[in-house]
């Protein structure tokens, strides 16, 4: 059956800014269509439809419940504030809607476990909205990571995710409000760093997670900037990540192995939509007299047929179609990846909140 | 007076591998010549002279004392093991020889203070052998660091210096011996990271230095790999460095400011001798829909007339000539830079040796 036949029909819960990007991705994905959008008011949802040039066939609802009750909706995309994820993701699963959930997935792993349990018991697919996993650059770097000769053992990883929002952000944005997105920079920018580090470690959880005693909070106590140290004792591998709302834009990861290393500056959002690069060095030694290197960095460019968000939607819909059309069981791998990130996120927060002690996982 | 007239005449104490590079640099520097070399045996020194095609006019001595007693020697380069620096640098200063000292400068800051005091009281110039400070790329990046619009405030710094030596290194090399170079990877690779971080902070010392609890030692207790966290409380600035003998070759620094950032992969030894690059981004924000960046990384290439080691020797000899020919006082700035690095190095070692507690400076 061609992708275009019987596409997965998405309902969107909420008209957050990020929803614009995913609506575009659904339209670009050959196996997916937007079936319904919703907001807390019909007017707001209508404005969103107009602003994003959505088809007149898209249903417009003034509340989220109606989307979940619409039998023509197969799957929902949930870009609501993190504090609302538990309620709406569980309800969606109970209504047999497949769940594409924006990150951070939940306020803590106990909440995420309820969401994952609801998805599993209702036989629906779960995936979080971390789009960079789906870029072919990520797969190419993964091949490197698995190459014992070119890369060797992972020794240390550094990841940075930051941006400097306008002053209004610090007044208004949900990511600065303790009651809406109490995870702050850790949940927003830090989520990607944690994902990148776990990815490089093939999702093995670290032994300890330690927030370093240099954490900046706003007046509500929400983390605006922090640095976190991860340690895998058995492997003697370390990782550091820095996440911040107070620094110039970064979204980098550097992975250093015993025999090779690579780094990417634009991991989360590539500079360009149609291709992306990573920089790789292997087997480098000082040249004679220590006046140069015998091997220098190579830039490798990887092309992608669709933007990474569309590739994410396409992969999600492929899994949904497998369940819907062929009764294949949901793929629990994506939930497992989200859960690993959430566990590390929780530990980092617990460490920052508890005097920067190491948290054993 | 032209550089070529009345050049500074160097004596070399010891024929370590690194001395080959500095001999070449002295020959390339227009204001410097090699006057004498020495080793613990005349035969070894002769072999060194032949291997490095030194002029037949170069005097060859079978011990270090004779170099210091030779009135035709103006300055000495000391590439001896760190544990011998105190003795030979102080003796050289007392014999009125200017001192170019290989890094790490001493086993601890108390030793370095004795060396600096000897240089000051004898009116001789001191400089350590960190060559990258003298590359014009470093000055160019420095202009960036001082630009409040393009770069802003320094928020965080990451530096990595590592290499994977052959197995024999772990048996034989002085950098693995507690009694010769007890600072291990911290004193060797770590010295550069510390220098790069302090340079980015205009040599302001951090409030605290904390080795992270993931330090690998050899059977003699010498550090083979460690990660260290630096914190400037007042500025809310953080830095992390990773130094290791167990990882693929790196010599990177990334400096993240509030409005810009730059990174260099080949800081200590540039890939090429005639030019070097840094990568710089400023004022970057997400593009509309978060599907790209409004400003991407620029690669800036800086050309250099001489290799960085020759530029270092040239600068050192310029200062020596000022003292010798024009009775200008020694420039104490270089000693101050070495001292700042040694203070941080000592604190990192104290933290690693003392259960990873934070050391207040």
């Amino acid at each position: 059956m061609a992708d275009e036949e019987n596409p997965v029909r998405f309902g969107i819960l909420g008209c957050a800014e990020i929803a614009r990007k995913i609506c575009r991705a659904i339209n670009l994905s050959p196996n997916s269509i937007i079936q319904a959008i919703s907001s807390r008011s019909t007017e707001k949802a209508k404005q969103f439809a107009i602003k994003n040039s959505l088809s007149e066939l898209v249903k417009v609802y003034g509340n989220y419940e109606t989307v979940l009750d619409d039998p023509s909706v197969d799957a929902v995309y949930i870009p609501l504030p993190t504090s609302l994820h538990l309620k709406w993701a569980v309800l969606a699963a109970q209504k047999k809607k497949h769940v594409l959930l924006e990150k951070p997935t939940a306020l803590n792993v106990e909440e995420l476990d309820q969401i994952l349990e609801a998805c599993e018991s209702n036989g629906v697919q779960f995936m979080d909205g971390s789009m960079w996993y789906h870029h072919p650059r990520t797969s190419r770097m993964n091949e490197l990571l698995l190459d014992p000769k070119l890369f060797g053992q992972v020794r240390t990883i550094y990841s940075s995710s930051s941006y400097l929002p306008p002053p209004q952000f610090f007044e208004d944005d949900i990511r600065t409000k303790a009651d809406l997105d109490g995870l702050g920079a850790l949940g927003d920018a830090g989520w990607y760093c944690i994902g990148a580090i776990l990815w490089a470690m093939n999702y093995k959880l670290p032994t300890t997670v330690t927030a370093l005693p240099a954490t900046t909070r706003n007046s509500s106590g929400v983390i605006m900037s922090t640095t976190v140290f991860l340690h895998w004792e058995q492997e003697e591998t370390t990782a550091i990540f820095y996440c911040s709302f107070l620094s110039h834009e970064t979204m980098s990861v550097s992975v250093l192995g015993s025999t090779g290393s690579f780094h990417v500056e634009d991991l989360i959002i590539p500079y360009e939509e149609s291709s992306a690069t990573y920089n790789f060095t292997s087997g480098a030694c000082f040249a004679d007299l220590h006046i140069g290197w015998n091997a220098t960095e190579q830039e490798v460019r990887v092309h992608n047929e669709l933007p990474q968000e569309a590739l994410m939607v396409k992969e999600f819909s492929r899994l949904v179609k497998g369940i819907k059309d062929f009764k294949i069981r949901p793929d629990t791998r994506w939930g497992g990846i989200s859960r690993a990130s959430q566990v590390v996120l929780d530990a980092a927060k617990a460490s920052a909140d508890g005097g920067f002690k190491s948290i054993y996982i």
Side-chain angles (χ1 to χ4, degrees), chain A:
Chain A
M1 197 183 320
D3 273 347
E4 292 72 14
E5 290 176 42
N6 202 12
V8 171
R9 298 161 298 178
F10 276 82
I12 315 287
L13 299 199
C15 292
E17 183 65 17
I18 185 86
R20 294 181 58 208
K21 179 174 174 167
I22 300 299
C23 280
R24 175 171 175 268
I26 294 168
N27 280 331
L28 287 171
S29 174
N31 57 1
S32 315
I33 60 163
I34 305 170
Q35 183 75 1
I37 63 165
S38 62
S39 187
R40 278 170 296 177
S41 82
T42 313
E43 192 47 41
K44 207 176 156 202
K46 268 186 191 158
Q47 287 303 322
F48 181 89
I50 292 163
K51 192 174 172 194
N52 294 283
S53 311
L54 299 186
S55 155
E56 287 184 9
L57 298 173
V58 172
K59 299 177 186 180
V60 175
Y61 293 127
N63 62 73
Y64 311 142
E65 289 86 346
T66 323
V67 179
L68 302 186
D69 287 329
D70 185 335
S72 75
V73 168
D74 299 310
V76 289
Y77 168 62
I78 307 179
L80 298 170
T82 312
S83 55
L84 301 177
H85 285 189
L86 175 63
K87 174 181 172 181
W88 291 103
V90 167
L91 208 53
Q94 288 167 347
K95 301 275 187 175
K96 312 290 182 196
K97 308 301 185 195
H98 305 277
V99 175
L100 180 60
L101 182 63
E102 204 40 72
K103 39 58 54 182
T105 47
L107 291 177
N108 53 56
V109 75
E110 291 74 25
E111 285 192 7
L112 178 59
D113 280 342
Q114 291 181 60
I115 295 170
L116 294 176
E117 204 286 312
C119 288
E120 197 170 340
S121 62
N122 287 286
V124 298
Q125 181 62 42
F126 174 90
M127 186 183 279
D128 83 47
S130 304
M131 56 282 183
W132 66 270
Y133 291 124
H134 304 273
H135 197 292
R137 171 173 66 176
T138 306
S139 318
R140 286 284 293 279
M141 293 191 294
N142 218 50
E143 289 167 20
L144 263 185
L145 279 169
L146 296 172
D147 191 315
K149 202 174 155 197
L150 282 177
F151 191 80
Q153 300 298 307
V154 179
R155 297 290 198 220
T156 194
I157 308 160
Y158 182 74
S159 180
S160 172
S161 176
S162 60
Y163 54 98
L164 189 68
Q168 205 190 330
F169 173 94
F170 297 95
E171 305 280 332
D172 297 348
D173 197 272
I174 56 166
R175 283 163 285 190
T176 68
K177 307 288 181 195
D179 55 342
L180 287 172
D181 248 323
L183 301 172
L186 199 50
D188 184 42
W191 177 270
Y192 292 113
C193 299
I194 294 169
I197 289 168
L198 289 172
W199 162 77
M201 290 300 288
N202 198 24
Y203 305 105
K204 178 164 184 177
L205 288 173
T207 321
T208 59
V209 175
T210 315
L212 298 181
T215 298
T216 306
R217 295 174 185 269
N218 69 7
S219 57
S220 315
V222 177
I223 290 173
M224 297 288 103
S225 179
T226 191
T227 302
V228 179
F229 168 63
L230 286 73
H231 187 204
W232 288 258
E233 281 182 7
Q234 198 186 325
E235 290 81 2
E236 298 193 77
T237 299
T238 56
I240 293 279
F241 71 87
Y242 171 80
C243 57
S244 180
F245 293 149
L246 307 173
S247 292
H248 181 249
E249 185 152 300
T250 57
M251 38 185 83
S252 66
V253 64
S254 298
V255 189
L256 174 55
S258 50
T259 59
S261 57
F262 63 87
H263 70 95
V264 176
E265 296 301 310
D266 58 349
L267 180 75
I268 308 165
I269 301 175
Y271 293 140
E272 298 169 31
E273 275 213 305
S274 58
S275 70
T277 65
Y278 63 90
N279 287 277
F280 172 59
T281 320
S282 179
C285 298
F286 307 119
D288 186 39
L289 275 173
H290 291 199
I291 53 173
W293 298 44
N294 71 330
T296 60
E297 205 173 57
Q298 293 172 42
E299 185 182 86
V300 181
R301 184 170 290 277
V302 182
H303 294 269
N304 44 316
E305 40 143 5
L306 287 173
Q308 61 180 357
E309 299 78 19
L311 293 172
M312 174 179 75
V313 170
K314 189 181 168 193
E315 172 63 8
F316 176 78
S317 292
R318 185 186 70 81
L319 296 170
V320 170
K321 281 169 70 76
I323 299 164
K324 209 176 124 190
D325 300 340
F326 302 103
K327 311 293 173 214
I328 295 168
R329 290 172 58 86
D331 185 340
T332 57
R333 183 174 156 262
W334 292 107
I337 290 174
S338 304
R339 190 178 192 280
S341 294
Q342 189 79 49
V343 166
V344 172
L345 177 58
D346 287 9
K349 187 164 187 299
S351 178
D353 291 348
F356 309 105
K357 288 199 184 71
S358 295
I359 304 294
Y360 282 79
I361 290 184

